[in-house]
Amino acid sequence: MLEFLQYQFMQNAFIAALLVSIACGVVGTYVVIKKIVFISGGISHAAFGGIGLGYLLGINPVLSAIPFSVVSAVLMGSLGKKIELSEDAAIGILWSVGMALGIIFINLSPGYAPDLFSYLFGSILTVPYQDLLIMLVLDLIILGTVGLFHREFTAISFDEEFAEVMGVPSQLIYIILLALVALSVVVLIKAVGIILIIALLTIPAAISRQFTHHIPRLMMASVILGVILTSMGLWLSFLFNLASGATIVMVLGAAFFISAILKKIWYT
Amino acid sequence: MANVVNMEGVYYKLKDYYILENVNLTIKKNDFMALIGPNGGGKTTLLRLILGLLTPDKGNIEVLGMAPGKSKNIGYLPQKSSYQSNFPISVLEVVLMGRYKQLLKGYNKEDMKSALDSLKKVEMLHLKNQQIEKLSGGQLQRVFIARALSRKPELLLLDEPTASIDPHFQGKFYEILSKIRKKMAVVMVSHDIGVVSSYVDSIACLNQKIYCHGPVEESVEGLEKAYKCPIDLIAHGFPHRVLREHE
């Protein structure tokens, strides 16, 4: 059963799954408890503009996606308050404009875009070594930032107005949190692709949320669940020769339904 | 820095409608003031201006010698907290948030002690590890009172503190306030004029404007103006006493 681990690309894929799970477990916990799923979806789709920019400039699209998605996260977090616009309208605009920019950048790039689909739908089996390094560095930045600001993240997630009164610079902290979502989007792009990222940012934390009320335990459980479920998806996609990103998301979805049923049985 | 709060000629407008008009108000050290007035009269808005959550359209506000929002030495009990009721957090962690200092500064032993003390005061110590989603409305309100107290502030702003608490605790709550009021200025928004007037030393009646502000007995007349209807709750001649008996 484990002979598939002998392949170098499989080992890389499992390392990628681990790195992905760290980002989605830690940041996904905040995405779920602060209820910023929609804005996170917006950030992940807007990141496609950064991918397109990479093609246009001839650099690694994962690298160009970093500044692009961070900037769009900052814009989404601040635009709604600067001009008279509801936040979800701001998200909708940046979501589609980001994607459209990406398409135009790719149009403008010479030649054709070879592995474009891997950015849209993920291709965890072909993550190059350099991308693994980028993911590792981003994970470390995410963990360090959460280590420094976890009190503030929790405070603004629980009660933003009270946090502000206590002296938490809540707008700044919110934007830092969105920037972390942007970084985790970049970590996740190669694994499940832009279109399916939101599944990894929400499902592991949403499953764990049903069974624990303690934020550090919630993060830990989400990371572990992420590793188990993405590896399972990876293995199933290998076994049945299915698209890896979609299979991972299907496994996550199935796990969520099973956990919801289990919880019902447990508590009744 | 003589006064805790100084408001001069404060106007606050929402769209074209003035919520507050020419509000002048001073709160001194150790004042215990009730802020009363009809719904929509601007009581919560006034507190939010003091907290710096809103900015006045006109006028000047000074809080603890600083611009509103600059001084963090304020305890606050919001009326309807914007909190998430199913948030994964324990009672003690909520109260500790009242001790927040600044970025990169964790909670120390003193913060923990103050949080536990406040929980004890509101008789919620036994539930300190409980998840807040499992609490009743009254218990939650006590947790939020503890959160405001734990800061040991110079100014305590309470927006309808007795709104959802049970009658047993209500008496206890006023007992707590009469103890701590020597250490800080307390402003309390309330509808319950009857109960409040036997505890506080001054009343401000607010309905767009401040109708009166002064010691309890003198302020009573302003109530009718503020509410724009006669108040039969209040009887004159009984210092610090109100007609309606309360248990």
Side-chain angles (χ1 to χ4, degrees), chain A residues 20-21 24 192 196-205 207 222 225-233 245-259:
Chain A
V20 155
S21 303
C24 73
V192 286
L196 301 174
I197 278 173
I198 203 63
L200 266 171
L201 272 179
T202 50
I203 299 176
I207 295 174
S222 307
L225 263 178
V227 172
I228 294 171
L229 295 174
T230 44
S231 309
M232 215 157 118
T247 312
I248 289 170
V249 173
M250 289 311 287
V251 169
L252 288 168
F256 179 79
F257 280 111
I258 293 168
S259 74

Side-chain angles (χ1 to χ4, degrees), chain B residues 118-188:
Chain B
S118 310
L119 276 173
K120 200 172 168 193
K121 274 185 196 140
V122 300
E123 298 175 350
M124 286 290 288
L125 193 57
H126 61 295
L127 291 175
K128 68 175 163 46
N129 295 321
Q130 184 70 271
Q131 294 309 310
I132 58 141
E133 63 184 335
K134 297 199 175 114
L135 301 183
S136 71
Q139 288 173 323
L140 204 51
Q141 181 75 345
R142 289 201 230 170
V143 172
F144 290 139
I145 291 170
R147 182 177 68 169
L149 294 178
S150 72
R151 198 163 188 83
K152 295 184 177 155
E154 286 176 68
L155 172 64
L156 181 61
L157 302 174
L158 305 164
D159 202 344
E160 303 210 17
T162 56
S164 54
I165 59 178
D166 49 293
H168 152 75
F169 182 70
Q170 199 152 326
K172 171 89 187 165
F173 171 69
Y174 285 108
E175 201 179 293
I176 295 169
L177 282 189
S178 52
K179 269 186 208 150
I180 59 162
R181 56 152 303 188
K182 289 170 199 114
K183 296 176 197 151
M184 61 189 80
V186 182
V187 176
M188 181 171 149

Side-chain angles (χ1 to χ4, degrees), chain A residues 66-140:
Chain A
I66 297 173
F68 199 92
S69 56
V70 170
V71 168
S72 53
V74 171
L75 282 177
M76 280 188 215
S78 49
L79 210 60
K81 282 175 187 159
K82 291 278 186 311
I83 52 181
E84 290 259 322
L85 186 68
S86 69
E87 191 180 76
D88 68 326
I91 295 167
I93 293 166
L94 285 162
W95 176 314
S96 44
V97 169
M99 286 216 89
L101 258 179
I103 295 166
I104 289 182
F105 285 151
I106 290 168
N107 277 166
L108 294 175
S109 320
Y112 100 121
D115 44 353
L116 182 59
F117 260 50
S118 76
Y119 294 102
L120 282 172
F121 301 108
S123 150
I124 198 168
L125 293 172
T126 61
V127 184
Y129 182 70
Q130 194 203 8
D131 288 3
L132 285 178
L133 271 183
I134 297 172
M135 288 158 78
L136 175 67
V137 170
L138 294 181
D139 268 350
L140 292 176

Side-chain angles (χ1 to χ4, degrees), chain A residues 26-182:
Chain A
V26 173
V27 178
T29 293
Y30 289 119
V31 169
V32 168
I33 65 177
K34 177 135 180 69
K35 300 183 178 162
I36 49 171
V37 175
F38 185 51
I39 193 165
S40 306
I43 294 169
S44 62
H45 282 78
F48 188 66
I51 302 289
L53 191 63
Y55 277 105
L56 183 62
L57 299 177
I59 57 171
N60 183 350
V62 173
L63 274 180
S64 55
I66 297 173
F68 199 92
S69 56
V70 170
V71 168
S72 53
V74 171
L75 282 177
M76 280 188 215
S78 49
L79 210 60
K81 282 175 187 159
K82 291 278 186 311
I83 52 181
E84 290 259 322
L85 186 68
S86 69
E87 191 180 76
D88 68 326
I91 295 167
I93 293 166
L94 285 162
W95 176 314
S96 44
V97 169
M99 286 216 89
L101 258 179
I103 295 166
I104 289 182
F105 285 151
I106 290 168
N107 277 166
L108 294 175
S109 320
Y112 100 121
D115 44 353
L116 182 59
F117 260 50
S118 76
Y119 294 102
L120 282 172
F121 301 108
S123 150
I124 198 168
L125 293 172
T126 61
V127 184
Y129 182 70
Q130 194 203 8
D131 288 3
L132 285 178
L133 271 183
I134 297 172
M135 288 158 78
L136 175 67
V137 170
L138 294 181
D139 268 350
L140 292 176
I141 295 173
I142 289 169
L143 288 174
T145 313
V146 170
L148 288 178
F149 298 123
H150 63 97
R151 257 173 257 102
E152 288 80 10
F153 288 150
T154 305
I156 65 158
S157 303
F158 176 60
D159 187 343
E160 193 162 339
E161 183 180 297
F162 187 82
E164 179 80 40
V165 171
M166 290 299 101
V168 177
S170 44
Q171 179 66 10
L172 176 70
I173 293 293
Y174 181 51
I175 286 176
I176 293 175
L177 182 57
L178 292 183
L180 287 191
V181 172

Side-chain angles (χ1 to χ4, degrees), chain A residues 198-216:
Chain A
I198 203 63
L200 266 171
L201 272 179
T202 50
I203 299 176
I207 295 174
S208 319
R209 176 69 192 86
Q210 302 177 85
F211 302 99
T212 178
H213 303 283
H214 188 247
I215 292 172

